[in-house]
Amino acid sequence: MPATLVIGCQWGDEGKAKIVDYLARDAEYVVRFQGGANAGHTVVVDGTRFAFHLVPAGILYPHATCILAGGMVIDPLALSSELDMLTEKRVDFQGRILISEQAHVVMPYHIRMDRGMEARRGASSIGTTGRGITPAYMDKVGRRGVRMGDFLRPRASFEKLIADRVRENNRAMKALGLPAVPVADTVHALSEVARKIAPFITDTRLVLWSALDRNKRVLCEGAQGTLLDVDHGTYPYVTSSSSSAGGAVTGAGLPPSAIDRVVGIYKAYCTRVGNGPFPTEEKGKTGDLLRKIGNEYGTTTGRPRRCGWFDAVAGRTAARLNGITEIALTKLDVLDPFSAIKVCTGYRSGKKRLHTVPISLETLTRCRPEYEEREGWNRSVARDTELPDKAEAYVARIESLLDCRVSLISMGPERLAVIDRTHKRRPATISP
Ligand code: IMP
């Protein structure tokens, strides 16, 4: 059976975890394929809140096996804490978490370097999450990284590798004016954690290929969003991984032909955390209201997110790039109290009207959004079994602007606050 791919189509934080959680009901394998603990996924089940950074949210279904695939960069200490959180909340994950031997390790010095490099950028900082993501990917492409498979080495060989890497990096840190990472402490901490997570490490490609051969349902979960993709995002204000659909192929080790369903996740408005262009940003009261109602604060860093209206130019670009086959529209309820709702339908750049996001940062920074204004619905979308007409019309407008149908609509953090338009189904348990 072909795989399904879930991809964020804005600047991350589109509410992917909620949709992954919904789709994972039917999945036997849930796969993360890029990024690391910079991601933050929150799922609320029966009033219990779970915040994930590395483990796919699908772990909350006892039938699902979760894979941390080769394109990821994994902070083993953060992973260990996440496993402890799952144990504390009585989620049995034994045998259900597999980590790729190919995934790269985020080392303690990567975190220090990430923060140090950001501080040196001053006013032109990217606003990274400080989780060591860029330095880890730099070491990966520089062919000097440590991989999760190295955790399977005999202890002496592993400890020598870690000590060598720490010493090498301490020289690089010194050149950056950063304090050295203690060698013995790092070796000790990583040896301890290696013992804990070694049983989870394997060649996850073989697991996935076998799953496809056996007609198992595979769900791939993108982290961050398309406009943060290192190639296709608003470079250099991007993350360091391939967070668009192509990343799933290399990151998970899946052939492109294995994916036949691409669900693009869009929030009913836009947010961005960190720096970089954001054409529809609302800096005044509207932005504050969206942030307040949508509780737009980063799961990973707690930073307030920048907020603005739905951007169909960015949306269309992401739809084309990812080849989305359907849309999941999230947080529609956040727009309930607005009497007027704007949608950006084009960018004005001098005399030109642009329909896709330009690659040049200079051009993008100069673009002005062109809006159409729509009447709001001014009542709770989660109240009745049908959407209010004006909310329905808003959804239809997004469908026409992105040329793709909206199959799922989510209206709140609870697991069941979803309308499934494919099956014309709305869970009965949405509170009145
Ligand atoms: P990094 O991934 O920590 O290097 O951060 C690079 C940029 O991506 C920064 O603007 C971050 O705020 C942003 N970013 C990274 N991960 C996420 C995410 O999960 N959601 C939203 N933005 C993110």
Side-chain angles (χ1 to χ4, degrees):
M1 179 169 285
T4 295
L5 172 58
V6 172
I7 283 286
C9 286
Q10 295 161 326
W11 283 276
D13 307 316
E14 297 92 350
K16 290 178 291 292
K18 169 79 188 294
I19 301 301
V20 168
D21 179 66
Y22 183 77
L23 297 174
R25 292 170 320 162
D26 303 322
E28 279 131 324
Y29 292 86
V30 184
V31 186
R32 255 199 75 181
F33 53 84
Q34 45 71 229
N38 48 349
H41 290 170
T42 309
V43 184
V44 181
V45 183
D46 298 333
T48 306
R49 206 175 178 83
F50 293 86
F52 296 103
H53 297 286
L54 288 163
V55 176
I59 198 68
L60 299 177
Y61 289 102
H63 60 262
T65 297
C66 289
I67 294 184
L68 281 70
M72 287 187 74
V73 288
I74 299 175
D75 174 349
L77 303 171
L79 178 62
S80 169
S81 311
E82 213 160 303
L83 299 181
D84 291 346
M85 179 274 286
L86 287 171
T87 306
E88 216 171 275
K89 294 193 171 167
R90 297 177 190 284
V91 177
D92 181 8
F93 56 83
Q94 286 312 319
R96 296 200 298 119
I97 294 181
L98 302 175
I99 302 166
S100 168
E101 286 174 67
Q102 292 174 311
H104 276 250
V105 178
V106 175
M107 302 284 280
Y109 48 77
H110 289 142
I111 295 173
R112 219 174 258 197
M113 268 188 184
D114 189 7
R115 295 176 187 176
M117 280 160 33
E118 272 289 89
R120 284 165 67 103
R121 283 187 196 109
S124 53
S125 70
I126 307 290
T128 74
T129 58
R131 296 297 190 270
I133 305 301
T134 294
Y137 279 115
M138 282 164 64
D139 275 357
K140 170 179 171 169
V141 297
R143 294 166 294 195
R144 52 179 178 261
V146 176
R147 302 209 286 183
M148 293 307 298
D150 291 318
F151 280 43
L152 302 177
R153 290 183 183 206
R155 189 168 180 147
S157 154
F158 174 72
E159 293 191 349
K160 179 173 181 318
L161 173 74
I162 300 298
D164 287 349
R165 288 289 187 268
V166 175
R167 283 194 197 99
E168 272 162 38
N169 274 276
N170 278 344
R171 286 194 283 277
M173 306 262 282
K174 197 170 171 193
L176 287 169
L178 297 170
V181 168
V183 180
D185 288 0
T186 308
V187 170
H188 177 72
L190 290 181
S191 295
E192 288 297 299
V193 86
R195 277 221 300 271
K196 181 168 168 184
I197 59 182
F200 303 88
I201 300 169
T202 187
D203 184 347
T204 56
R205 299 170 310 167
L206 303 184
V207 177
L208 281 173
W209 297 341
S210 153
L212 292 171
D213 290 347
R214 289 176 295 125
N215 258 341
K216 299 289 178 193
R217 280 162 300 205
V218 175
L219 179 67
C220 299
E221 166 187 345
Q224 289 83 45
T226 304
L227 291 145
L228 290 173
D229 183 283
V230 66
D231 291 296
H232 300 286
T234 50
Y235 191 89
Y237 295 96
V238 292
T239 190
S240 294
S241 65
S242 300
S243 49
S244 52
V249 172
T250 44
L254 285 173
S257 53
I259 300 167
D260 77 337
R261 182 181 180 198
V262 185
V263 184
I265 316 288
Y266 293 84
K267 195 144 56 179
Y269 49 100
C270 278
T271 62
R272 172 164 203 165
V273 62
N275 302 328
F278 178 7
T280 62
E281 180 171 14
E282 286 285 324
K283 289 189 171 148
K285 276 190 193 150
T286 303
D288 291 345
L289 195 57
L290 285 168
R291 184 176 313 105
K292 185 166 170 230
I293 305 172
N295 190 25
E296 295 294 354
Y297 295 90
T299 314
T300 304
T301 58
R303 288 181 289 179
R305 296 179 185 141
R306 299 157 64 194
C307 298
W309 297 115
F310 189 87
D311 180 342
V313 178
R316 258 193 310 263
T317 309
R320 283 307 299 262
L321 183 68
N322 296 312
I324 60 170
T325 56
E326 63 196 272
I327 293 170
L329 190 67
T330 64
K331 297 185 99 165
L332 187 62
D333 55 309
V334 172
L335 298 181
D336 284 350
F338 287 88
S339 50
I341 295 170
K342 289 192 196 172
V343 178
C344 165
T345 54
Y347 291 169
R348 176 65 55 186
S349 169
K351 289 196 174 126
K352 281 195 197 145
R353 192 166 195 262
L354 305 183
H355 298 278
T356 46
V357 179
I359 288 171
S360 149
L361 191 67
E362 285 69 33
T363 309
L364 178 57
T365 311
R366 279 199 308 270
C367 282
R368 294 289 158 258
E370 291 189 334
Y371 288 111
E372 69 180 30
E373 191 166 312
R374 312 181 61 83
E375 253 183 86
W377 43 92
N378 273 133
R379 52 182 261 234
S380 164
V381 282
R383 210 180 53 196
D384 301 319
T385 46
E386 299 290 322
L387 283 184
D389 287 349
K390 285 178 183 141
E392 195 64 65
Y394 182 70
V395 174
R397 183 64 179 133
I398 288 177
E399 286 180 321
S400 84
L401 284 165
L402 304 192
D403 196 18
C404 188
R405 96 200 139 93
V406 172
S407 59
L408 292 169
I409 302 174
S410 135
M411 294 156 306
E414 282 296 336
R415 197 172 233 182
L416 293 167
V418 173
I419 296 179
D420 188 333
R421 288 159 43 118
T422 313
H423 305 293
K424 300 221 173 335
R425 183 169 66 194
R426 181 167 183 147
T429 38
I430 291 183
S431 24

